[in-house]
Amino acid sequence: MKKQIIALSLGLMSVIAFGQKKELRAAEKAIKKNDFATAMAQVNSVEGMLSSMDSKYKAQYYFLKGQVLAGKNNYEGAAEAFNKLISYEKEIGKSKYTKEAKPMLNSLVEKVSNLAVNLYNKDKNYKDAAKQFYLTYKLSPKDTSFLYNAAVSASLAKDYDTSLEYYKELKDVGYTGIETQYLATNKASGEVQNLGSKSNRDSMVKFGQFINPTTKVSESKKADIIKNIGYIYVNQGKTEEAILALQEARKSNPKDINLLLNEAQMYIKLDKMDKFGALMEEAVKLDPTNPVLFFNLGVVNANENKVEEAINYYKKAIELDPNYGDAYMNIAATILSKEKEIVEEMNKNLSNFKKYDELQTKQKELYKEALPFLVKADEIQRTEDTVRSLLNIYDTLEMEDKSSPLREIYKKMRSGN
C-alpha cells in the first residue's frame, strides 16, 4: 500500500513539474513578443508552487519575473526578482540565469539613475528626482550614494519628512561617502578627470593620453548627514531634536562654525540665553575676526544688564566692521538703558527741585554720550528708528537747529512719501 501511495505522489509531482515547465515556457514566449500581460499571468500561475519548485525552474521563474516586471516598467519589482535570482543561484552553486540577469539589472539601474540626474540637473524637479534616486538605490542597494542623492533632493524640494527618513537610513547603513578618485590630466584639454579605477587611469597614462596621475580620497559625509538631520529638525520647528542632532554633528566636526551657530540659534528659540552666550564665546575663539559674533555677545550682555561689557563687544564689532550700523545703534540703546533709573529717581523727587535738576542734568549727559553713535548709525543707514531716536534726543537737548529739518524728514518717512 505504501508503495502505491509513493508511486502516486511521484506521479503527481511529475505532473506538477510538467505544468511549471509548460507555463514558464509560455511566459518566455510571451516576453519575446513583448506581451507582458500574458507573460505576467503565466508567471503568477506558478508562484504558489515556489516552495516546492525544482531549483532549475525556480531560478527560471525569478529570471522571467524580472523581465516581465521590467517590461511593465515596475523597475523596483524587477530588481527585487533579479536580486533574488542572483542570490538563489549563488546559494545552489549555479549561475545559468545570473549571467543574463546582471546586465539587465545594470541596464535598469542606469536607466533610472539617468532619469534622476536629468530631473535634478536639467528640470530642477527635486521632488521627482528624490523618488528616482531612491528607486535607483532600491535597484542597487550597494550603491548607497544614490540614497544620499535622494536625501539631498528631497530636502531641496522641502519634503523634509522624506528627506529625514532617507538621512536616517543613511546613518543606519553606516554611509560615509568616502571614495577614492583616480585622477589624471587630459593632455588635449588640460582638464583633470576622474578615470574611475587605478588600472584604467594607469592605462590612459601609459598610452600618453593623460599625464600627472594622482589619487584623491574624498572626505567623510558622516558629519554632514547628522548636520542635515539637525537642519531638517530646525525647519520642522523641532528644537530639542535639532539641538541633539547638531551636538552630535559637532562631536565629529567641532570646528564647524555653522554647526555651532545653528545650535546657538536653537537656544534663542528656547529662551536659554546663558547657553547661547556660552556658544558665542566659543564661536569667537573659532572665528575671532567675525563682527557678527561680537555683536551677538553684545546683545547677550545687554539683555543681562551688563552695560559696559555689552558696549565693549559692540565696539569690537565696529572695530572689525566700521560700517556696522546696528552696532552703533545698539551702543546708543545700551547707554540710554541707564536712563530708566534716572527717570525713576526724577519721579520720586518732583518736589525736590535741586535733586530733580541734578538728575535732569545727568539725563542730558547720558543723551550727549549716546548721540554720536546714533548720528553714525543714521549716516550708515537712515531708518525711521534712527530718525525718531535722534529727534527725541535733539528735543530733550533743545537742539532746535538739528531737530527742525529732521522733523520734516520724519513726517515724509511716516507718510511714505
Side-chain angles (χ1 to χ4, degrees), residues 277-301:
L279 285 178
M280 285 299 100
E281 293 280 4
E282 193 176 335
V284 162
K285 291 175 184 175
L286 289 173
D287 191 3
T289 60
N290 188 334
V292 176
L293 301 181
F294 287 98
F295 178 84
N296 287 339
L297 278 170
V299 172
V300 170
N301 280 273

mmCIF file with all atom_site columns, all heavy atoms in Angstrom, residues 277-301:
data_model
loop_
_atom_site.group_PDB
_atom_site.id
_atom_site.type_symbol
_atom_site.label_atom_id
_atom_site.label_alt_id
_atom_site.label_comp_id
_atom_site.label_asym_id
_atom_site.label_entity_id
_atom_site.label_seq_id
_atom_site.pdbx_PDB_ins_code
_atom_site.Cartn_x
_atom_site.Cartn_y
_atom_site.Cartn_z
_atom_site.occupancy
_atom_site.B_iso_or_equiv
_atom_site.pdbx_formal_charge
_atom_site.auth_seq_id
_atom_site.auth_comp_id
_atom_site.auth_asym_id
_atom_site.auth_atom_id
_atom_site.pdbx_PDB_model_num
ATOM 1   N N   . GLY A 1 277 ? 24.941 82.487 24.957 1.00 0.00 ? 277 GLY A N   1
ATOM 2   C CA  . GLY A 1 277 ? 26.126 83.294 25.228 1.00 0.00 ? 277 GLY A CA  1
ATOM 3   C C   . GLY A 1 277 ? 27.385 82.446 25.307 1.00 0.00 ? 277 GLY A C   1
ATOM 4   O O   . GLY A 1 277 ? 28.439 82.835 24.790 1.00 0.00 ? 277 GLY A O   1
ATOM 5   N N   . ALA A 1 278 ? 27.270 81.272 25.938 1.00 0.00 ? 278 ALA A N   1
ATOM 6   C CA  . ALA A 1 278 ? 28.431 80.381 26.058 1.00 0.00 ? 278 ALA A CA  1
ATOM 7   C C   . ALA A 1 278 ? 28.913 79.929 24.682 1.00 0.00 ? 278 ALA A C   1
ATOM 8   O O   . ALA A 1 278 ? 30.128 79.868 24.415 1.00 0.00 ? 278 ALA A O   1
ATOM 9   C CB  . ALA A 1 278 ? 28.059 79.166 26.914 1.00 0.00 ? 278 ALA A CB  1
ATOM 10  N N   . LEU A 1 279 ? 27.969 79.637 23.803 1.00 0.00 ? 279 LEU A N   1
ATOM 11  C CA  . LEU A 1 279 ? 28.344 79.219 22.452 1.00 0.00 ? 279 LEU A CA  1
ATOM 12  C C   . LEU A 1 279 ? 28.929 80.375 21.649 1.00 0.00 ? 279 LEU A C   1
ATOM 13  O O   . LEU A 1 279 ? 29.814 80.178 20.813 1.00 0.00 ? 279 LEU A O   1
ATOM 14  C CB  . LEU A 1 279 ? 27.132 78.625 21.720 1.00 0.00 ? 279 LEU A CB  1
ATOM 15  C CG  . LEU A 1 279 ? 26.728 77.210 22.157 1.00 0.00 ? 279 LEU A CG  1
ATOM 16  C CD1 . LEU A 1 279 ? 25.496 76.743 21.402 1.00 0.00 ? 279 LEU A CD1 1
ATOM 17  C CD2 . LEU A 1 279 ? 27.867 76.219 21.933 1.00 0.00 ? 279 LEU A CD2 1
ATOM 18  N N   . MET A 1 280 ? 28.438 81.586 21.896 1.00 0.00 ? 280 MET A N   1
ATOM 19  C CA  . MET A 1 280 ? 29.013 82.747 21.217 1.00 0.00 ? 280 MET A CA  1
ATOM 20  C C   . MET A 1 280 ? 30.466 82.965 21.633 1.00 0.00 ? 280 MET A C   1
ATOM 21  O O   . MET A 1 280 ? 31.320 83.311 20.811 1.00 0.00 ? 280 MET A O   1
ATOM 22  C CB  . MET A 1 280 ? 28.188 84.002 21.543 1.00 0.00 ? 280 MET A CB  1
ATOM 23  C CG  . MET A 1 280 ? 26.858 84.107 20.826 1.00 0.00 ? 280 MET A CG  1
ATOM 24  S SD  . MET A 1 280 ? 27.003 84.173 19.017 1.00 0.00 ? 280 MET A SD  1
ATOM 25  C CE  . MET A 1 280 ? 26.620 82.474 18.619 1.00 0.00 ? 280 MET A CE  1
ATOM 26  N N   . GLU A 1 281 ? 30.753 82.749 22.903 1.00 0.00 ? 281 GLU A N   1
ATOM 27  C CA  . GLU A 1 281 ? 32.147 82.855 23.386 1.00 0.00 ? 281 GLU A CA  1
ATOM 28  C C   . GLU A 1 281 ? 33.019 81.828 22.667 1.00 0.00 ? 281 GLU A C   1
ATOM 29  O O   . GLU A 1 281 ? 34.153 82.121 22.266 1.00 0.00 ? 281 GLU A O   1
ATOM 30  C CB  . GLU A 1 281 ? 32.196 82.603 24.901 1.00 0.00 ? 281 GLU A CB  1
ATOM 31  C CG  . GLU A 1 281 ? 31.513 83.666 25.742 1.00 0.00 ? 281 GLU A CG  1
ATOM 32  C CD  . GLU A 1 281 ? 32.368 84.913 25.946 1.00 0.00 ? 281 GLU A CD  1
ATOM 33  O OE1 . GLU A 1 281 ? 33.464 84.982 25.366 1.00 0.00 ? 281 GLU A OE1 1
ATOM 34  O OE2 . GLU A 1 281 ? 31.920 85.822 26.676 1.00 0.00 ? 281 GLU A OE2 1
ATOM 35  N N   . GLU A 1 282 ? 32.476 80.644 22.512 1.00 0.00 ? 282 GLU A N   1
ATOM 36  C CA  . GLU A 1 282 ? 33.207 79.581 21.817 1.00 0.00 ? 282 GLU A CA  1
ATOM 37  C C   . GLU A 1 282 ? 33.378 79.942 20.340 1.00 0.00 ? 282 GLU A C   1
ATOM 38  O O   . GLU A 1 282 ? 34.435 79.695 19.746 1.00 0.00 ? 282 GLU A O   1
ATOM 39  C CB  . GLU A 1 282 ? 32.418 78.268 21.954 1.00 0.00 ? 282 GLU A CB  1
ATOM 40  C CG  . GLU A 1 282 ? 33.199 77.040 21.550 1.00 0.00 ? 282 GLU A CG  1
ATOM 41  C CD  . GLU A 1 282 ? 32.420 75.754 21.795 1.00 0.00 ? 282 GLU A CD  1
ATOM 42  O OE1 . GLU A 1 282 ? 31.527 75.741 22.670 1.00 0.00 ? 282 GLU A OE1 1
ATOM 43  O OE2 . GLU A 1 282 ? 32.709 74.774 21.093 1.00 0.00 ? 282 GLU A OE2 1
ATOM 44  N N   . ALA A 1 283 ? 32.344 80.530 19.753 1.00 0.00 ? 283 ALA A N   1
ATOM 45  C CA  . ALA A 1 283 ? 32.382 80.908 18.337 1.00 0.00 ? 283 ALA A CA  1
ATOM 46  C C   . ALA A 1 283 ? 33.448 81.964 18.081 1.00 0.00 ? 283 ALA A C   1
ATOM 47  O O   . ALA A 1 283 ? 34.149 81.927 17.064 1.00 0.00 ? 283 ALA A O   1
ATOM 48  C CB  . ALA A 1 283 ? 31.013 81.415 17.897 1.00 0.00 ? 283 ALA A CB  1
ATOM 49  N N   . VAL A 1 284 ? 33.568 82.926 18.998 1.00 0.00 ? 284 VAL A N   1
ATOM 50  C CA  . VAL A 1 284 ? 34.568 83.992 18.858 1.00 0.00 ? 284 VAL A CA  1
ATOM 51  C C   . VAL A 1 284 ? 35.975 83.406 18.822 1.00 0.00 ? 284 VAL A C   1
ATOM 52  O O   . VAL A 1 284 ? 36.845 83.882 18.079 1.00 0.00 ? 284 VAL A O   1
ATOM 53  C CB  . VAL A 1 284 ? 34.415 85.020 20.008 1.00 0.00 ? 284 VAL A CB  1
ATOM 54  C CG1 . VAL A 1 284 ? 35.659 85.875 20.155 1.00 0.00 ? 284 VAL A CG1 1
ATOM 55  C CG2 . VAL A 1 284 ? 33.193 85.898 19.770 1.00 0.00 ? 284 VAL A CG2 1
ATOM 56  N N   . LYS A 1 285 ? 36.210 82.366 19.597 1.00 0.00 ? 285 LYS A N   1
ATOM 57  C CA  . LYS A 1 285 ? 37.530 81.713 19.603 1.00 0.00 ? 285 LYS A CA  1
ATOM 58  C C   . LYS A 1 285 ? 37.809 81.030 18.262 1.00 0.00 ? 285 LYS A C   1
ATOM 59  O O   . LYS A 1 285 ? 38.938 81.002 17.790 1.00 0.00 ? 285 LYS A O   1
ATOM 60  C CB  . LYS A 1 285 ? 37.609 80.698 20.741 1.00 0.00 ? 285 LYS A CB  1
ATOM 61  C CG  . LYS A 1 285 ? 37.621 81.341 22.122 1.00 0.00 ? 285 LYS A CG  1
ATOM 62  C CD  . LYS A 1 285 ? 37.581 80.283 23.216 1.00 0.00 ? 285 LYS A CD  1
ATOM 63  C CE  . LYS A 1 285 ? 37.482 80.939 24.604 1.00 0.00 ? 285 LYS A CE  1
ATOM 64  N NZ  . LYS A 1 285 ? 37.333 79.932 25.676 1.00 0.00 ? 285 LYS A NZ  1
ATOM 65  N N   . LEU A 1 286 ? 36.742 80.481 17.666 1.00 0.00 ? 286 LEU A N   1
ATOM 66  C CA  . LEU A 1 286 ? 36.890 79.810 16.372 1.00 0.00 ? 286 LEU A CA  1
ATOM 67  C C   . LEU A 1 286 ? 37.035 80.800 15.223 1.00 0.00 ? 286 LEU A C   1
ATOM 68  O O   . LEU A 1 286 ? 37.723 80.544 14.248 1.00 0.00 ? 286 LEU A O   1
ATOM 69  C CB  . LEU A 1 286 ? 35.687 78.894 16.097 1.00 0.00 ? 286 LEU A CB  1
ATOM 70  C CG  . LEU A 1 286 ? 35.555 77.618 16.923 1.00 0.00 ? 286 LEU A CG  1
ATOM 71  C CD1 . LEU A 1 286 ? 34.224 76.936 16.641 1.00 0.00 ? 286 LEU A CD1 1
ATOM 72  C CD2 . LEU A 1 286 ? 36.706 76.660 16.608 1.00 0.00 ? 286 LEU A CD2 1
ATOM 73  N N   . ASP A 1 287 ? 36.346 81.943 15.357 1.00 0.00 ? 287 ASP A N   1
ATOM 74  C CA  . ASP A 1 287 ? 36.328 82.926 14.269 1.00 0.00 ? 287 ASP A CA  1
ATOM 75  C C   . ASP A 1 287 ? 36.466 84.339 14.849 1.00 0.00 ? 287 ASP A C   1
ATOM 76  O O   . ASP A 1 287 ? 35.507 85.109 14.897 1.00 0.00 ? 287 ASP A O   1
ATOM 77  C CB  . ASP A 1 287 ? 35.006 82.785 13.489 1.00 0.00 ? 287 ASP A CB  1
ATOM 78  C CG  . ASP A 1 287 ? 35.006 83.563 12.191 1.00 0.00 ? 287 ASP A CG  1
ATOM 79  O OD1 . ASP A 1 287 ? 36.039 84.169 11.853 1.00 0.00 ? 287 ASP A OD1 1
ATOM 80  O OD2 . ASP A 1 287 ? 33.957 83.559 11.505 1.00 0.00 ? 287 ASP A OD2 1
ATOM 81  N N   . PRO A 1 288 ? 37.680 84.705 15.286 1.00 0.00 ? 288 PRO A N   1
ATOM 82  C CA  . PRO A 1 288 ? 37.881 85.967 16.019 1.00 0.00 ? 288 PRO A CA  1
ATOM 83  C C   . PRO A 1 288 ? 37.783 87.232 15.177 1.00 0.00 ? 288 PRO A C   1
ATOM 84  O O   . PRO A 1 288 ? 37.860 88.335 15.718 1.00 0.00 ? 288 PRO A O   1
ATOM 85  C CB  . PRO A 1 288 ? 39.291 85.810 16.591 1.00 0.00 ? 288 PRO A CB  1
ATOM 86  C CG  . PRO A 1 288 ? 39.968 84.850 15.668 1.00 0.00 ? 288 PRO A CG  1
ATOM 87  C CD  . PRO A 1 288 ? 38.913 83.920 15.191 1.00 0.00 ? 288 PRO A CD  1
ATOM 88  N N   . THR A 1 289 ? 37.608 87.111 13.867 1.00 0.00 ? 289 THR A N   1
ATOM 89  C CA  . THR A 1 289 ? 37.503 88.310 13.025 1.00 0.00 ? 289 THR A CA  1
ATOM 90  C C   . THR A 1 289 ? 36.077 88.503 12.492 1.00 0.00 ? 289 THR A C   1
ATOM 91  O O   . THR A 1 289 ? 35.854 89.282 11.571 1.00 0.00 ? 289 THR A O   1
ATOM 92  C CB  . THR A 1 289 ? 38.479 88.226 11.835 1.00 0.00 ? 289 THR A CB  1
ATOM 93  O OG1 . THR A 1 289 ? 38.167 87.071 11.043 1.00 0.00 ? 289 THR A OG1 1
ATOM 94  C CG2 . THR A 1 289 ? 39.916 88.153 12.320 1.00 0.00 ? 289 THR A CG2 1
ATOM 95  N N   . ASN A 1 290 ? 35.128 87.804 13.084 1.00 0.00 ? 290 ASN A N   1
ATOM 96  C CA  . ASN A 1 290 ? 33.736 87.888 12.638 1.00 0.00 ? 290 ASN A CA  1
ATOM 97  C C   . ASN A 1 290 ? 32.980 88.908 13.493 1.00 0.00 ? 290 ASN A C   1
ATOM 98  O O   . ASN A 1 290 ? 32.691 88.654 14.665 1.00 0.00 ? 290 ASN A O   1
ATOM 99  C CB  . ASN A 1 290 ? 33.079 86.502 12.746 1.00 0.00 ? 290 ASN A CB  1
ATOM 100 C CG  . ASN A 1 290 ? 31.692 86.468 12.130 1.00 0.00 ? 290 ASN A CG  1
ATOM 101 O OD1 . ASN A 1 290 ? 31.004 87.475 12.034 1.00 0.00 ? 290 ASN A OD1 1
ATOM 102 N ND2 . ASN A 1 290 ? 31.277 85.296 11.704 1.00 0.00 ? 290 ASN A ND2 1
ATOM 103 N N   . PRO A 1 291 ? 32.627 90.074 12.939 1.00 0.00 ? 291 PRO A N   1
ATOM 104 C CA  . PRO A 1 291 ? 31.973 91.118 13.739 1.00 0.00 ? 291 PRO A CA  1
ATOM 105 C C   . PRO A 1 291 ? 30.598 90.713 14.270 1.00 0.00 ? 291 PRO A C   1
ATOM 106 O O   . PRO A 1 291 ? 30.185 91.172 15.333 1.00 0.00 ? 291 PRO A O   1
ATOM 107 C CB  . PRO A 1 291 ? 31.863 92.303 12.768 1.00 0.00 ? 291 PRO A CB  1
ATOM 108 C CG  . PRO A 1 291 ? 31.943 91.698 11.405 1.00 0.00 ? 291 PRO A CG  1
ATOM 109 C CD  . PRO A 1 291 ? 32.823 90.505 11.536 1.00 0.00 ? 291 PRO A CD  1
ATOM 110 N N   . VAL A 1 292 ? 29.896 89.847 13.520 1.00 0.00 ? 292 VAL A N   1
ATOM 111 C CA  . VAL A 1 292 ? 28.546 89.430 13.932 1.00 0.00 ? 292 VAL A CA  1
ATOM 112 C C   . VAL A 1 292 ? 28.592 88.695 15.268 1.00 0.00 ? 292 VAL A C   1
ATOM 113 O O   . VAL A 1 292 ? 27.698 88.849 16.110 1.00 0.00 ? 292 VAL A O   1
ATOM 114 C CB  . VAL A 1 292 ? 27.887 88.547 12.848 1.00 0.00 ? 292 VAL A CB  1
ATOM 115 C CG1 . VAL A 1 292 ? 26.516 88.042 13.321 1.00 0.00 ? 292 VAL A CG1 1
ATOM 116 C CG2 . VAL A 1 292 ? 27.735 89.320 11.550 1.00 0.00 ? 292 VAL A CG2 1
ATOM 117 N N   . LEU A 1 293 ? 29.634 87.906 15.475 1.00 0.00 ? 293 LEU A N   1
ATOM 118 C CA  . LEU A 1 293 ? 29.755 87.141 16.722 1.00 0.00 ? 293 LEU A CA  1
ATOM 119 C C   . LEU A 1 293 ? 29.906 88.091 17.917 1.00 0.00 ? 293 LEU A C   1
ATOM 120 O O   . LEU A 1 293 ? 29.293 87.882 18.966 1.00 0.00 ? 293 LEU A O   1
ATOM 121 C CB  . LEU A 1 293 ? 30.943 86.187 16.640 1.00 0.00 ? 293 LEU A CB  1
ATOM 122 C CG  . LEU A 1 293 ? 30.895 85.153 15.506 1.00 0.00 ? 293 LEU A CG  1
ATOM 123 C CD1 . LEU A 1 293 ? 32.122 84.257 15.562 1.00 0.00 ? 293 LEU A CD1 1
ATOM 124 C CD2 . LEU A 1 293 ? 29.623 84.310 15.575 1.00 0.00 ? 293 LEU A CD2 1
ATOM 125 N N   . PHE A 1 294 ? 30.722 89.126 17.746 1.00 0.00 ? 294 PHE A N   1
ATOM 126 C CA  . PHE A 1 294 ? 30.899 90.101 18.835 1.00 0.00 ? 294 PHE A CA  1
ATOM 127 C C   . PHE A 1 294 ? 29.614 90.899 19.053 1.00 0.00 ? 294 PHE A C   1
ATOM 128 O O   . PHE A 1 294 ? 29.269 91.230 20.190 1.00 0.00 ? 294 PHE A O   1
ATOM 129 C CB  . PHE A 1 294 ? 32.075 91.028 18.518 1.00 0.00 ? 294 PHE A CB  1
ATOM 130 C CG  . PHE A 1 294 ? 33.411 90.366 18.668 1.00 0.00 ? 294 PHE A CG  1
ATOM 131 C CD1 . PHE A 1 294 ? 34.087 89.858 17.562 1.00 0.00 ? 294 PHE A CD1 1
ATOM 132 C CD2 . PHE A 1 294 ? 33.996 90.219 19.921 1.00 0.00 ? 294 PHE A CD2 1
ATOM 133 C CE1 . PHE A 1 294 ? 35.312 89.225 17.703 1.00 0.00 ? 294 PHE A CE1 1
ATOM 134 C CE2 . PHE A 1 294 ? 35.228 89.591 20.078 1.00 0.00 ? 294 PHE A CE2 1
ATOM 135 C CZ  . PHE A 1 294 ? 35.885 89.087 18.958 1.00 0.00 ? 294 PHE A CZ  1
ATOM 136 N N   . PHE A 1 295 ? 28.919 91.213 17.966 1.00 0.00 ? 295 PHE A N   1
ATOM 137 C CA  . PHE A 1 295 ? 27.631 91.900 18.080 1.00 0.00 ? 295 PHE A CA  1
ATOM 138 C C   . PHE A 1 295 ? 26.657 91.064 18.908 1.00 0.00 ? 295 PHE A C   1
ATOM 139 O O   . PHE A 1 295 ? 25.972 91.579 19.803 1.00 0.00 ? 295 PHE A O   1
ATOM 140 C CB  . PHE A 1 295 ? 27.055 92.167 16.686 1.00 0.00 ? 295 PHE A CB  1
ATOM 141 C CG  . PHE A 1 295 ? 25.707 92.829 16.703 1.00 0.00 ? 295 PHE A CG  1
ATOM 142 C CD1 . PHE A 1 295 ? 25.589 94.197 16.828 1.00 0.00 ? 295 PHE A CD1 1
ATOM 143 C CD2 . PHE A 1 295 ? 24.541 92.070 16.594 1.00 0.00 ? 295 PHE A CD2 1
ATOM 144 C CE1 . PHE A 1 295 ? 24.337 94.816 16.844 1.00 0.00 ? 295 PHE A CE1 1
ATOM 145 C CE2 . PHE A 1 295 ? 23.296 92.667 16.623 1.00 0.00 ? 295 PHE A CE2 1
ATOM 146 C CZ  . PHE A 1 295 ? 23.192 94.048 16.739 1.00 0.00 ? 295 PHE A CZ  1
ATOM 147 N N   . ASN A 1 296 ? 26.594 89.742 18.602 1.00 0.00 ? 296 ASN A N   1
ATOM 148 C CA  . ASN A 1 296 ? 25.696 88.852 19.346 1.00 0.00 ? 296 ASN A CA  1
ATOM 149 C C   . ASN A 1 296 ? 26.048 88.789 20.829 1.00 0.00 ? 296 ASN A C   1
ATOM 150 O O   . ASN A 1 296 ? 25.164 88.742 21.693 1.00 0.00 ? 296 ASN A O   1
ATOM 151 C CB  . ASN A 1 296 ? 25.724 87.441 18.749 1.00 0.00 ? 296 ASN A CB  1
ATOM 152 C CG  . ASN A 1 296 ? 24.988 87.374 17.428 1.00 0.00 ? 296 ASN A CG  1
ATOM 153 O OD1 . ASN A 1 296 ? 24.146 88.217 17.133 1.00 0.00 ? 296 ASN A OD1 1
ATOM 154 N ND2 . ASN A 1 296 ? 25.298 86.377 16.616 1.00 0.00 ? 296 ASN A ND2 1
ATOM 155 N N   . LEU A 1 297 ? 27.354 88.799 21.107 1.00 0.00 ? 297 LEU A N   1
ATOM 156 C CA  . LEU A 1 297 ? 27.779 88.820 22.514 1.00 0.00 ? 297 LEU A CA  1
ATOM 157 C C   . LEU A 1 297 ? 27.360 90.123 23.183 1.00 0.00 ? 297 LEU A C   1
ATOM 158 O O   . LEU A 1 297 ? 27.022 90.149 24.371 1.00 0.00 ? 297 LEU A O   1
ATOM 159 C CB  . LEU A 1 297 ? 29.296 88.630 22.610 1.00 0.00 ? 297 LEU A CB  1
ATOM 160 C CG  . LEU A 1 297 ? 29.777 87.178 22.530 1.00 0.00 ? 297 LEU A CG  1
ATOM 161 C CD1 . LEU A 1 297 ? 31.291 87.132 22.378 1.00 0.00 ? 297 LEU A CD1 1
ATOM 162 C CD2 . LEU A 1 297 ? 29.340 86.388 23.749 1.00 0.00 ? 297 LEU A CD2 1
ATOM 163 N N   . GLY A 1 298 ? 27.378 91.208 22.416 1.00 0.00 ? 298 GLY A N   1
ATOM 164 C CA  . GLY A 1 298 ? 26.887 92.480 22.938 1.00 0.00 ? 298 GLY A CA  1
ATOM 165 C C   . GLY A 1 298 ? 25.424 92.408 23.314 1.00 0.00 ? 298 GLY A C   1
ATOM 166 O O   . GLY A 1 298 ? 25.012 92.864 24.393 1.00 0.00 ? 298 GLY A O   1
ATOM 167 N N   . VAL A 1 299 ? 24.623 91.757 22.458 1.00 0.00 ? 299 VAL A N   1
ATOM 168 C CA  . VAL A 1 299 ? 23.180 91.609 22.719 1.00 0.00 ? 299 VAL A CA  1
ATOM 169 C C   . VAL A 1 299 ? 22.951 90.779 23.983 1.00 0.00 ? 299 VAL A C   1
ATOM 170 O O   . VAL A 1 299 ? 22.131 91.134 24.837 1.00 0.00 ? 299 VAL A O   1
ATOM 171 C CB  . VAL A 1 299 ? 22.471 90.944 21.507 1.00 0.00 ? 299 VAL A CB  1
ATOM 172 C CG1 . VAL A 1 299 ? 21.021 90.609 21.853 1.00 0.00 ? 299 VAL A CG1 1
ATOM 173 C CG2 . VAL A 1 299 ? 22.530 91.865 20.289 1.00 0.00 ? 299 VAL A CG2 1
ATOM 174 N N   . VAL A 1 300 ? 23.698 89.668 24.090 1.00 0.00 ? 300 VAL A N   1
ATOM 175 C CA  . VAL A 1 300 ? 23.551 88.785 25.259 1.00 0.00 ? 300 VAL A CA  1
ATOM 176 C C   . VAL A 1 300 ? 23.842 89.566 26.545 1.00 0.00 ? 300 VAL A C   1
ATOM 177 O O   . VAL A 1 300 ? 23.088 89.496 27.514 1.00 0.00 ? 300 VAL A O   1
ATOM 178 C CB  . VAL A 1 300 ? 24.493 87.563 25.145 1.00 0.00 ? 300 VAL A CB  1
ATOM 179 C CG1 . VAL A 1 300 ? 24.520 86.781 26.455 1.00 0.00 ? 300 VAL A CG1 1
ATOM 180 C CG2 . VAL A 1 300 ? 24.042 86.652 24.014 1.00 0.00 ? 300 VAL A CG2 1
ATOM 181 N N   . ASN A 1 301 ? 24.941 90.299 26.554 1.00 0.00 ? 301 ASN A N   1
ATOM 182 C CA  . ASN A 1 301 ? 25.327 91.044 27.756 1.00 0.00 ? 301 ASN A CA  1
ATOM 183 C C   . ASN A 1 301 ? 24.373 92.199 28.047 1.00 0.00 ? 301 ASN A C   1
ATOM 184 O O   . ASN A 1 301 ? 24.075 92.485 29.215 1.00 0.00 ? 301 ASN A O   1
ATOM 185 C CB  . ASN A 1 301 ? 26.761 91.556 27.615 1.00 0.00 ? 301 ASN A CB  1
ATOM 186 C CG  . ASN A 1 301 ? 27.785 90.476 27.914 1.00 0.00 ? 301 ASN A CG  1
ATOM 187 O OD1 . ASN A 1 301 ? 28.177 90.269 29.060 1.00 0.00 ? 301 ASN A OD1 1
ATOM 188 N ND2 . ASN A 1 301 ? 28.195 89.753 26.880 1.00 0.00 ? 301 ASN A ND2 1
#
